[in-house]
Amino acid sequence: NAGVMQNPRHLVRRRGQEARLRCSPMKGHSHVYWYRQLPEEGLKFMVYLQKENIIDESGMPKERFSAEFPKEGPSILRIQQVVRGDSAAYFCASSPLRAADYGYTFGSGTRLTVV
Amino acid sequence: KQEVTQIPAALSVPEGENLVLNCSFTDSAIYNLQWFRQDPGKGLTSLLLIQSSQREQTSGRLNASLDKSSGRSTLYIAASQPGDSATYLCAASIGGSNYKLTFGKGTLLTVNP
């Protein structure tokens, strides 16, 4: 069991470019969550997805950010027209069924740097 | 606003010492609380998960407690080792959500040989 796989581990983008972050949940996990860790801040919830459904995107910025978890393939967090303030570590987590019962398993994160 | 607070922000101890990390949360309606370890530039490793119906969990040299009435959790580390040096994060499912974690900012632990 390879755990939660995120790629790339590091991503550098120029201002205005698009960033695509990928997350493959643990085998058997159908729930995916994205969190962002800004420098000197705690992790903040962004979005909760199940296959083909966005359950809660209350933590996502209203513009430029989107997430999906298709029927086949990894979950994608997409940031359009990146700005320097998007520089952060983005973590994906997964859980089987209810996270309240089983807790989270996190990936190693993608560190986005916008130059 | 739901908040999780961790004190101290940083802690330095000599090897072999027993230590306690503290976490407080603002909502007694808690579903669960999870302690994580984060090494520099790395991801989060789950240490212990405590359900709201439980008072404590143990794994090896680690023991975590949960007191809903006072809104507190503690992580006890026995016989600390240099390899325990890391940032310890407390995260709680509170505020009516059974899936959204609210994180503290962490305690940076340094265990000196």
Side-chain angles (χ1 to χ4, degrees):
Chain A
N1 191 337
V4 178
M5 303 302 293
Q6 290 189 248
N7 65 81
R9 293 291 301 273
H10 300 274
L11 182 62
V12 180
R13 285 286 178 265
R14 296 185 184 280
R15 282 179 295 171
Q17 291 185 318
E18 178 179 290
R20 292 171 68 87
L21 288 62
R22 295 175 181 76
C23 169
S24 296
M26 282 187 71
K27 186 176 181 180
H29 288 195
S30 57
H31 299 234
V32 167
Y33 316 81
W34 286 92
Y35 284 76
R36 177 166 68 172
Q37 187 175 38
L38 292 166
E40 308 304 322
E41 293 190 22
L43 280 86
K44 304 290 186 187
F45 170 84
M46 298 183 73
V47 62
Y48 164 33
L49 309 107
Q50 296 178 20
K51 286 284 188 182
E52 300 184 280
N53 285 301
I54 298 175
I55 308 301
D56 182 350
E57 57 181 350
S58 59
M60 289 263 280
K62 293 290 186 285
E63 298 179 351
R64 302 185 298 108
F65 284 72
S66 63
E68 64 177 4
F69 189 16
K71 185 176 181 181
E72 301 291 338
S75 174
I76 306 288
L77 179 66
R78 180 183 179 201
I79 311 173
Q80 295 178 294
Q81 299 176 327
V82 296
V83 301
R84 290 225 169 103
D86 297 332
S87 295
Y90 292 81
F91 291 96
C92 170
S94 70
S95 70
L97 300 177
R98 285 156 43 89
D101 294 332
Y102 300 97
Y104 283 72
T105 301
F106 276 86
S108 297
T110 293
R111 281 150 186 85
L112 172 66
T113 302
V114 179
V115 297
Chain B
K1 180 182 176 184
Q2 307 303 323
E3 289 188 348
V4 174
T5 304
Q6 290 186 249
I7 53 172
L11 180 64
S12 182
V13 301
E15 181 178 2
E17 189 162 301
N18 302 325
L19 59 100
V20 174
L21 306 181
N22 296 291
C23 172
S24 61
F25 47 92
T26 56
D27 192 344
S28 61
I30 181 172
Y31 284 94
N32 64 30
L33 186 141
Q34 204 164 354
W35 283 92
F36 295 91
R37 167 184 173 143
Q38 185 175 29
D39 292 282
K42 301 291 179 63
L44 280 68
T45 301
S46 179
L47 298 174
L48 290 164
L49 169 67
I50 310 177
Q51 301 292 351
S52 60
S53 58
Q54 299 172 323
R55 290 194 61 86
E56 65 177 340
Q57 284 285 345
T58 298
S59 176
R61 294 183 293 109
L62 305 179
N63 176 277
S65 68
L66 176 63
D67 185 340
K68 292 190 294 181
S69 61
S70 66
R72 293 184 180 183
S73 175
T74 60
L75 179 66
Y76 174 83
I77 302 177
S80 58
Q81 303 170 358
D84 295 331
S85 299
T87 297
Y88 290 80
L89 298 171
C90 169
S93 293
I94 52 178
S97 168
N98 65 357
Y99 58 81
K100 187 186 303 184
L101 285 178
T102 300
F103 277 84
K105 291 188 177 181
T107 294
L108 175 60
L109 173 65
T110 302
V111 181
N112 300 300

